[in-house]
Amino acid sequence: YKKKISLDKIALQQAGVTLDSNALALVRLHTGNFAYFLDVAEAGKDIRFIANDDKTPLKFAIEKFDPINEMALIWVKLPENSAAAEQAVIWMYYGNQTAVDGQDAPALYATDQVLTYHFGNQGVHDVTAYATDPVEATATVSSGGVIAEAAQFNGEQLIRIADAPSIQMTAEKGWTLSSWIRMDESQAETVIFQRGEGSFSLVAKDQSLLVNVVDSAGQTHSLIATIPVSVGSWHHLVITTDAVAVTLYLDGVVAGSLPVD
């Protein structure tokens, strides 16, 4: 069997989004758009994705496949400029109980995407080709994340990552950190992300986000987000750093910028 999946070209064009060769799409299957979970092989091993030409295989990885609750979450690497094609579609094939698993998670990510964590019952694992798993992960798995399961922290729990050549973070080369976050209550002073011994940190205080950067002279420079974080709601958080500035985004809007000397 095969299922047609259409890309919303108009929405992408209105948002000014262009899809390069590294663009990923999250395909969500549920009872509202897919009624054939019983036709899919165990764990989705027979699922395949094909480009709009109905010939070119696409790389993909299944984050969640739950036929009992009829839900699947699958990341697919889109063809370059697929949103500009006359037929902005991809095809999903399924229905072969003897098929071998066709997913390839490491191939989804460009070499400059050096760390990607999903949170589930199988533990915290880096799904990029670098496979940089944490050396310590005490967070609790929580259902009901924006995409699938989420990591829940009680103030003492953490995810610690050892230093590795693949995750060197320098302003000269630039780096980006992104995550979905939700605070269930106002925070006293909670570290969301910290590098090294605190040379760079992102902290939640009350309902604000603070970025602290310690320069080579030991001086601390701080940025307070201009957009508050409402409690009980999910927010998309992004930090970008280059040789000019550290910039904080909340839900796609610039929430502050800190010049880098």
Side-chain angles (χ1 to χ4, degrees):
Y1 309 105
K2 69 177 182 179
K3 176 179 175 61
K4 183 179 180 179
I5 300 173
S6 299
L7 304 178
D8 192 336
K9 291 174 57 174
I10 295 177
L12 290 171
Q13 291 168 359
Q14 290 177 341
V17 175
T18 57
L19 302 179
D20 62 17
S21 59
N22 298 314
L24 300 182
L26 177 64
V27 174
R28 299 173 184 261
L29 302 178
H30 50 78
T31 53
N33 61 21
F34 189 71
Y36 309 104
F37 280 89
L38 295 181
D39 293 326
V40 181
E42 181 183 3
K45 66 180 182 179
D46 59 339
I47 289 175
R48 301 291 189 273
F49 286 90
I50 307 296
N52 60 355
D53 62 4
D54 210 6
K55 296 179 181 179
T56 306
L58 302 177
K59 301 293 185 181
F60 71 97
I62 300 172
E63 181 170 350
K64 185 181 183 71
F65 186 81
D66 184 352
I68 303 300
N69 294 303
E70 299 184 306
M71 177 189 301
L73 300 167
I74 309 170
W75 295 97
V76 182
K77 191 168 188 176
L78 297 176
E80 189 170 7
N81 298 322
S82 53
E86 182 177 350
Q87 290 282 334
V89 302
I90 58 176
W91 299 94
M92 185 184 84
Y93 279 78
Y94 63 97
N96 180 358
Q97 297 296 324
T98 63
V100 296
D101 194 342
Q103 59 182 320
D104 186 0
L108 291 182
Y109 304 98
T111 56
D112 59 358
Q113 190 160 346
V114 297
L115 190 72
T116 297
Y117 285 163
H118 298 314
F119 307 106
N121 294 321
Q122 302 303 315
V124 182
H125 299 288
D126 177 18
V127 294
T128 73
Y130 297 100
T132 307
D133 290 345
V135 294
E136 184 179 7
T138 59
T140 304
V141 175
S142 175
S143 61
V146 173
I147 297 172
E149 284 75 26
Q152 184 173 2
F153 302 87
N154 64 7
E156 297 180 353
Q157 295 166 300
L158 55 80
I159 294 175
R160 190 188 308 277
I161 307 166
D163 193 14
S166 62
I167 54 174
Q168 297 300 312
M169 302 166 67
T170 64
E172 291 75 20
K173 290 186 177 181
W175 54 269
T176 298
L177 168 75
S178 67
S179 180
W180 287 94
I181 63 169
R182 189 184 77 185
M183 301 190 307
D184 290 333
E185 59 186 29
S186 181
Q187 302 295 301
E189 194 162 349
T190 301
V191 174
I192 298 175
F193 173 78
Q194 178 174 290
R195 190 181 72 182
E197 298 299 322
S199 60
F200 183 100
S201 62
L202 172 65
V203 176
K205 185 175 182 181
D206 299 325
Q207 289 181 238
S208 296
L209 297 175
L210 290 79
V211 175
N212 298 313
V213 179
V214 179
D215 63 22
S216 57
Q219 298 295 313
T220 300
H221 306 270
S222 298
L223 160 67
I224 301 176
T226 57
I227 304 173
V229 179
S230 57
V231 299
S233 300
W234 285 98
H235 298 277
H236 190 232
L237 170 69
V238 175
I239 298 174
T240 63
T241 297
D242 55 28
V244 177
V246 176
T247 305
L248 176 66
Y249 299 83
L250 193 65
D251 298 326
V253 179
V254 175
S257 185
L258 182 66
V260 175
D261 294 331

